[in-house]
Amino acid sequence: MRKIRLVEVRSELAAGTRGASMGIDALKIASIKRHSNFFMRFEPVSVKDENQLLFGDSQFDFAKYGEGVFTMLNRVCDTIADLRSEQLFPIVLAGDHSTAAGTICGIKQADPEKRLGVIWIDAHADFHSPYTTPSGNMHGMPLAMVTAMDNEACEVNDVEEETEALWERIKKIGGRGPKISPSDVVFIGVRDTEAPEDHIIQEHGIRNFTTEEVKEKGVETVAKEAMEVLKDCDQIYISFDVDSLDTSISMGTGTPVANGLTKEQAFDLNRELIKDKRVCCWEIVEVNPTLDTENRMAESAFDILEATTDSLIKNF
């Protein structure tokens, strides 16, 4: 059995709405309601956050709170690299999705020679850069960070030199150069993208298993086909954003999008994907109880978290 370590990342600097930093504690409340001992079973590691920066104004229009995001990515990278170097399996509970870039950088830093694939279960592609972002919120940029993609062909923003310098520093976290190839990214449930992201998806032939495809083919087939796309990868990281779920159950997140996965589909999908022995890290992000009613989003997310962890333990 793999030795699991919970990693708690309460950063919400990169989100457009406040409250994602409280998602981890909402998951813990959900576990109490379920009479679960989940949070007693695994030793947690807590990464210090920089959320106090939110009391001031952002320095960068196209990379909001970018200096704080840079700090957080470095901290997460170092934490994950240390755990992977000890052959531990990180299950990451995070606030906004930007810190997933730190997770990927940490995996790569620990095993720089291993080819890393990413399964991104999300309503959004998160492939924006400061040059293309419509909002400046950096939770829409983690995959651009780790693929070191500016996408200047689709540039719409006049980015200042200070922001450009910050972006270059972010792309070097965990080592120079791209940490993954865009062709080693698989999307599941992505359905809300902008034109610059569509350009990247089409240019690199990134596979997106739509919610309709999940419904038609079934979870087991989609999981098998997703892993087949990544057959040449040595390691696989799975990132599960709760906004991949349908809005009927995912109002407790910052950017809900209609026509998402059902809870049952997400439950079964993550349980199935994590059975692959190349999976080295699993992450859940963007639970925001301030946007929720009666903690329902966190309860659904906790059920998926516990079931996925149990599947990991059972299959190793």
Side-chain angles (χ1 to χ4, degrees):
M1 185 181 78
R2 292 191 180 185
K3 192 168 184 180
I4 294 167
R5 189 75 86 236
L6 292 184
V7 181
E8 301 178 352
V9 186
R10 288 179 170 79
S11 182
E12 61 171 272
L13 289 173
T17 55
R18 305 279 65 86
S21 62
M22 303 167 67
I24 296 168
D25 293 317
L27 289 169
K28 292 181 178 181
I29 295 299
S31 76
I32 294 171
K33 184 175 180 180
R34 295 286 194 261
H35 303 287
S36 169
N37 68 346
F38 181 87
F39 288 98
M40 296 177 64
R41 291 161 59 192
F42 310 108
E43 183 179 345
V45 177
S46 185
V47 180
K48 183 179 181 298
D49 67 67
E50 292 290 312
N51 291 335
Q52 75 280 355
L53 296 175
L54 292 168
F55 292 107
D57 294 329
S58 172
Q59 184 179 351
F60 307 103
D61 290 338
F62 303 116
K64 292 178 180 177
Y65 300 103
E67 285 287 358
V69 171
F70 174 74
T71 299
M72 289 306 305
L73 297 183
N74 272 295
R75 287 177 184 164
V76 173
C77 174
D78 290 344
T79 299
I80 298 299
D82 288 345
L83 294 177
R84 290 299 301 148
S85 295
E86 297 173 24
Q87 301 301 307
L88 298 171
F89 190 103
I91 290 182
V92 185
L93 317 178
D96 79 69
H97 213 168
S98 69
T99 60
T103 303
I104 291 171
C105 290
I107 296 169
K108 192 66 176 177
Q109 183 172 290
D111 292 294
E113 303 305 317
K114 291 184 178 180
R115 182 172 171 179
L116 176 61
V118 172
I119 296 180
W120 201 257
I121 309 170
D122 198 322
H124 308 90
D126 294 340
F127 250 119
H128 277 296
S129 74
Y131 303 98
T132 67
T133 176
S135 68
N137 297 322
M138 299 189 80
H139 69 164
M141 304 184 190
L143 287 177
M145 295 172 182
V146 296
T147 54
M149 296 188 71
D150 301 335
N151 197 14
E152 288 182 322
C154 299
E155 182 175 357
V156 294
N157 300 323
D158 185 14
V159 179
E160 297 178 344
E161 288 185 8
E162 292 83 0
T163 304
E164 289 184 344
L166 171 68
W167 183 245
E168 291 303 313
R169 284 194 288 145
I170 285 174
K171 290 190 294 183
K172 294 175 184 175
I173 294 171
R176 292 182 177 274
K179 311 307 177 295
I180 60 171
S181 167
S183 62
D184 289 334
V185 175
V186 172
F187 289 138
I188 300 179
V190 169
R191 57 196 182 277
D192 185 14
T193 59
E194 284 82 33
E197 295 176 306
D198 293 336
H199 172 79
I200 291 174
I201 292 169
Q202 292 165 11
E203 182 179 27
H204 295 279
I206 298 174
R207 182 70 164 93
N208 178 28
F209 293 90
T210 64
T211 50
E212 290 80 7
E213 202 168 350
V214 174
K215 181 179 180 180
E216 291 169 6
K217 291 184 173 181
V219 163
E220 194 169 326
T221 297
V222 167
K224 182 178 179 180
E225 290 185 9
M227 290 303 181
E228 179 63 22
V229 174
L230 303 177
K231 64 182 184 299
D232 295 326
C233 293
D234 304 304
Q235 298 187 117
I236 293 173
Y237 154 73
I238 301 170
S239 187
F240 173 63
D241 187 325
V242 297
D243 71 19
S244 62
L245 295 165
D246 189 68
T247 47
S248 60
I249 49 174
S250 71
M251 293 310 296
T253 188
T255 49
V257 182
N259 192 32
L261 300 172
T262 67
K263 176 184 173 181
E264 291 73 21
Q265 288 170 336
F267 186 97
D268 293 338
L269 179 64
N270 283 286
R271 282 175 55 88
E272 194 66 30
L273 289 169
I274 209 164
K275 292 177 182 179
D276 192 295
K277 290 179 169 50
R278 295 171 297 162
V279 177
C280 64
C281 179
W282 185 87
E283 185 160 17
I284 185 169
V285 304
E286 297 276 3
V287 174
N288 188 337
T290 68
L291 303 173
D292 204 2
T293 303
E294 298 179 346
N295 210 32
R296 287 184 297 180
M297 178 75 265
E299 289 177 8
S300 294
F302 174 73
D303 291 342
I304 294 167
L305 165 64
E306 186 171 46
T308 303
T309 305
D310 288 344
S311 180
L312 172 67
I313 293 170
K314 180 180 179 181
N315 287 281
F316 283 92

